[in-house]
């Protein structure tokens, strides 16, 4: 089995978390760069629920010259507008009408991400949970959102070497 490309890995996560987000009444997004999750969460309306998947890069962690091993970092940002409730923070832990408690949504997303099982021939099989952090803007302003971080270890694609015959001046 050939190792997956970056886009195949992220597409697998995005399609799965998108299905969950829609079922939970949210709108899924795929971030195009590291700043876009901030923009998407900041652009929420008072009743919005947004789920943003972001590929946060990869790092090589071993292997050999024929096949490297990569640790992919995946982030899922979850935000929900607070609306004009008398106690907007109550919805963190208590359902509000048809809306689930916000932290229950965070937990459900975490479990959804961890539930994917990948081929053992080219991955470590399971997504690893790194942690969840509250989202604050680069200026330190707290947002009604959390960022869940995960990693997936994947065998890199086979490298085809090309010989360099000389160095040009």
């Amino acid at each position: 089995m050939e190792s997956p490309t970056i886009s195949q890995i992220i597409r697998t996560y995005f399609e799965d978390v998108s299905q969950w987000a829609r079922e939970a009444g949210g709108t899924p997004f795929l971030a195009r760069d590291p700043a876009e999750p901030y923009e998407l969460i900041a652009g929420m309306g008072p009743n919005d629920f947004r789920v943003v998947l972001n590929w946060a890069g990869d790092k090589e962690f071993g292997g050999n010259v024929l096949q490297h091993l990569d640790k992919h970092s995946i982030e899922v940002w979850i935000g929900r507008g607070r609306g004009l409730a008398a106690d907007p923070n109550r919805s963190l832990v208590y359902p509000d009408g048809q809306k689930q408690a916000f932290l229950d949504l965070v937990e459900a997303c975490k479990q959804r991400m961890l539930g994917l099982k990948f081929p053992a021939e080219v991955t470590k099989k399971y997504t690893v949970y790194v942690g969840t952090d509250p989202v604050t803007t680069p200026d330190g302003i707290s947002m009604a959102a959390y960022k869940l971080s995960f990693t997936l270890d994947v065998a890199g694609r086979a490298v085809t070497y090309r010989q360099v015959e000389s160095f040009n001046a």
Side-chain angles (χ1 to χ4, degrees):
M1 169 177 265
E2 188 172 30
S3 296
T5 64
I6 295 168
S7 65
Q8 289 172 323
I9 293 166
I10 298 310
R11 188 170 48 242
T12 300
Y13 280 113
F14 182 66
E15 289 172 1
D16 191 66
V17 82
S18 291
Q19 179 184 353
W20 169 82
R22 286 187 197 97
E23 290 169 359
T27 305
F29 295 90
L30 182 60
R32 69 177 176 263
D33 58 53
E36 192 172 31
Y38 289 107
E39 296 168 9
L40 291 167
I41 298 297
M44 288 189 309
N47 294 312
D48 282 349
F49 167 44
R50 294 185 175 186
V51 178
V52 183
L53 188 112
N54 181 48
W55 181 66
D58 63 358
K59 303 267 190 257
E60 198 270 342
F61 71 92
N64 57 51
V65 296
L66 297 178
Q67 189 167 39
H68 52 96
L69 300 174
D70 300 326
K71 183 178 295 290
H72 291 267
S73 296
I74 300 100
E75 300 171 342
V76 181
W77 299 52
I78 300 177
R80 186 166 74 184
R82 293 181 179 157
L84 297 174
D87 183 1
N89 294 334
R90 180 177 170 80
S91 66
L92 278 172
V93 294
Y94 294 102
D96 184 11
Q98 298 290 352
K99 295 180 183 177
Q100 294 181 41
F102 186 47
L103 292 180
D104 286 343
L105 290 170
V106 171
E107 179 67 27
C109 182
K110 173 182 163 183
Q111 294 305 318
R112 182 74 179 220
M113 291 288 290
L114 291 174
L116 288 177
K117 186 175 177 183
F118 294 89
E121 298 84 6
V122 292
T123 71
K124 196 174 176 180
K125 289 194 330 188
Y126 300 103
T127 303
V128 174
Y129 174 65
V130 176
T132 298
D133 295 302
V135 175
T136 57
T137 67
D139 295 336
I141 299 169
S142 182
M143 301 177 82
Y146 289 90
K147 177 177 71 173
L148 293 81
S149 300
F150 304 90
T151 61
L152 178 67
D153 294 348
V154 177
R157 298 178 65 80
V159 176
T160 302
Y161 290 96
R162 296 168 316 284
Q163 184 65 40
V164 175
E165 300 298 331
S166 67
F167 294 96
N168 295 325

